[in-house]
Amino acid sequence: QPVTLRAVAADDRGCLFQSCAHYRADSRGELHLGTDASHGGDYTGVEPMGLFWSLAPAGMEKPYQRLVPRSTGAPMKVEVLVHQGHSPPGAMPGPVVTKAEVQRLFTAPGVRRIRLKEGVVRGSLFLPPGDGPFPGVIDMYGDEGGLIEFRSSLLATRGFAALSLPYFDFEDLPKVMKELKLEYFEEAARFLQRHPKVKGPGVGVIGTGKGAELALSMITFLPEVVAAVSISGCSSNTVADLRYGDMTLPGLRFDLNKVSVSDTGVFDIFEALDDPTNPANSPCTIPIEKAEGHILLVVGEDDRMWKSSLYAELAIRRLRQHGKENFELLSYPGAGHRIDPPSTPFCQVAMDRVLGVPVLGGGESKAHAHAQEHSWGKIQEFLHLHLG
């Protein structure tokens, strides 16, 4: 029998997301997502988690919303429905044959979340169950600001003491990212390093976008940081000046004249960042050859937010020029900008919180989903290897 599987979920603001795929049940009326292929809908092929990573705003919702859990304490509830016949995405599906609720947990039982006000440092510390000590990791996101915790809670579920670290637009931190002081990140690293549940001697850091670039600066200048994961980062400091004592790394700027807008109103900022290879911009370059620890660079080759593949090449070239081989590169064809933990819904275009317009992030859904799954395992291996 031909059937359409649909998944429906709501975010914490009540915005509905849905996905669908076409399957054919076998002679016993059974189908298995782990072995049976989808023949149409939002994805094709054998994709056990396809209904999750293809979730997108429902037709009546504003487009370009991102389904990201704001609270890690409550599970994400997804209703999975089986409909008679094959109905294309957006069309009225056939009668419901059966349905079930699936819950996606972001925190394992026993994981503790501790809200942090330690000196100037803000954020949330997630500790795995048990006595430890555990490898310690600082986790940062990009220029959307605020506190994003779901990757930290998943890392704690996997045995890491993870500090979700906001650096602007949260509590009493600066509202906007005008300039950043590396001393803030140094204090966070020292706090984590000294925590009784954290295994020493050094800590790790993982960041996406602007957070990735900060991760590279931290491993360059802070001896406490011995392992850095840079996801879709830049090899130069961008946007906001970064100060550390008497040193300043100026930020590369975005040239708004180089932004193009599609007929549908989607902004493409791929060419807008100043060229880091221009000798005039060399003061912005992060001198990562000074890093004594290990670096994992993760990039999507179809990142349209900026040229993260090129920036990874520039970082590797700089390291090799100084005789360094303390890096690994994971480069994914067809993946876009924001490579999150597995089955995070793919979002080719997302509303930018700062600009308030839809911005192209790039990527193709299936390739991006596979990049998320593969990189998540490799990131954990890398952190365990270098943090114990």
Side-chain angles (χ1 to χ4, degrees), residues 117-159:
K117 273 199 167 178
E118 189 72 26
V120 295
V121 178
R122 301 291 174 265
S124 297
L125 176 64
F126 289 86
L127 293 173
D131 296 333
F134 309 103
V137 181
I138 292 171
D139 176 27
M140 298 178 295
Y141 270 91
D143 59 8
E144 65 265 53
L147 178 66
I148 300 173
E149 298 177 311
F150 76 105
R151 185 165 60 194
S152 298
S153 68
L154 289 171
L155 283 167
T157 295
R158 296 284 181 271

Side-chain angles (χ1 to χ4, degrees), residues 12-90:
D12 52 351
R13 294 161 309 188
C15 175
L16 274 183
F17 291 77
Q18 60 182 17
S19 59
C20 77
H22 300 160
Y23 287 92
R24 191 168 285 280
D26 66 14
S27 56
R28 291 189 304 275
E30 294 179 353
L31 70 90
H32 297 271
L33 295 185
T35 52
D36 293 343
S38 162
H39 305 292
D42 289 319
Y43 60 90
T44 56
V46 179
E47 295 292 338
M49 294 297 286
L51 287 170
F52 279 74
W53 56 248
S54 61
L55 282 165
M60 74 289 258
E61 301 288 359
K62 284 184 188 162
Y64 315 133
Q65 305 293 313
R66 200 189 278 286
L67 180 54
V68 174
R70 298 277 167 222
S71 159
T72 56
M76 185 168 95
K77 293 177 180 176
V78 181
E79 190 170 41
V80 180
L81 304 105
V82 181
H83 297 268
Q84 284 180 21
H86 286 165
S87 46

Side-chain angles (χ1 to χ4, degrees), residues 34-348:
T35 52
D36 293 343
S38 162
H39 305 292
D42 289 319
Y43 60 90
T44 56
V46 179
E47 295 292 338
M49 294 297 286
L51 287 170
F52 279 74
W53 56 248
S54 61
L55 282 165
M60 74 289 258
E61 301 288 359
K62 284 184 188 162
Y64 315 133
Q65 305 293 313
R66 200 189 278 286
L67 180 54
V68 174
R70 298 277 167 222
S71 159
T72 56
M76 185 168 95
K77 293 177 180 176
V78 181
E79 190 170 41
V80 180
L81 304 105
V82 181
H83 297 268
Q84 284 180 21
H86 286 165
S87 46
M92 276 296 287
V96 174
V97 181
T98 186
K99 61 182 181 177
E101 185 182 85
V102 180
Q103 295 194 351
R104 181 168 191 196
L105 304 172
F106 291 90
T107 310
V111 168
R112 286 197 302 146
R113 172 182 179 265
I114 301 157
R115 283 303 298 276
L116 210 61
K117 273 199 167 178
E118 189 72 26
V120 295
V121 178
R122 301 291 174 265
S124 297
L125 176 64
F126 289 86
L127 293 173
D131 296 333
F134 309 103
V137 181
I138 292 171
D139 176 27
M140 298 178 295
Y141 270 91
D143 59 8
E144 65 265 53
L147 178 66
I148 300 173
E149 298 177 311
F150 76 105
R151 185 165 60 194
S152 298
S153 68
L154 289 171
L155 283 167
T157 295
R158 296 284 181 271
F160 294 92
L163 170 56
S164 183
L165 186 69
Y167 46 96
F168 75 102
D169 195 20
F170 180 71
E171 291 184 351
D172 55 355
L173 295 175
K175 279 310 280 178
V176 293
M177 191 172 60
K178 278 215 176 84
E179 69 166 35
L180 294 167
K181 290 190 167 67
L182 200 60
E183 283 84 355
Y184 173 77
F185 303 91
E186 182 176 51
E187 196 169 319
R190 287 179 176 169
F191 162 79
L192 192 60
Q193 187 189 33
R194 289 194 301 257
H195 195 281
K197 291 261 186 180
V198 172
K199 205 187 265 190
V203 297
V205 57
I206 177 171
T208 298
K210 178 69 186 175
E213 170 200 310
L214 286 164
L216 294 180
S217 293
M218 287 169 74
I219 197 167
T220 296
F221 296 109
L222 307 180
E224 296 84 0
V225 177
V226 298
V229 180
S230 162
I231 302 171
S232 309
C234 185
S235 52
S236 294
N237 185 50
T238 66
V239 184
D241 292 357
L242 181 67
R243 302 192 190 283
Y244 185 46
D246 298 335
M247 179 213 76
T248 300
L249 281 183
L252 290 178
R253 301 295 187 225
F254 279 96
D255 181 352
L256 296 179
N257 295 321
K258 291 183 180 168
V259 175
S260 62
V261 186
S262 74
D263 297 342
T264 54
V266 173
F267 284 61
D268 184 343
I269 62 173
F270 187 64
E271 296 290 348
L273 187 68
D274 289 346
D275 180 3
T277 64
N278 181 336
N281 293 325
S282 62
C284 305
T285 306
I286 301 165
I288 56 170
E289 69 279 1
K290 293 181 179 175
E292 293 298 326
H294 292 264
I295 298 165
L296 177 63
L297 302 160
V298 182
V299 296
E301 292 174 20
D302 193 31
D303 184 348
R304 294 292 305 176
M305 195 71 79
W306 59 12
K307 302 174 184 180
S308 53
S309 289
L310 168 68
Y311 305 150
E313 273 176 47
L314 294 175
I316 288 169
R317 195 181 310 161
R318 189 174 179 102
L319 288 166
R320 286 199 164 133
Q321 281 168 351
H322 290 85
K324 292 280 185 91
E325 288 290 334
N326 56 337
F327 64 87
E328 291 172 58
L329 172 67
L330 297 175
S331 185
Y332 294 101
H337 180 69
R338 196 162 141 161
I339 299 173
D340 272 327
S343 309
T344 302
F346 170 68
C347 203
Q348 188 181 49

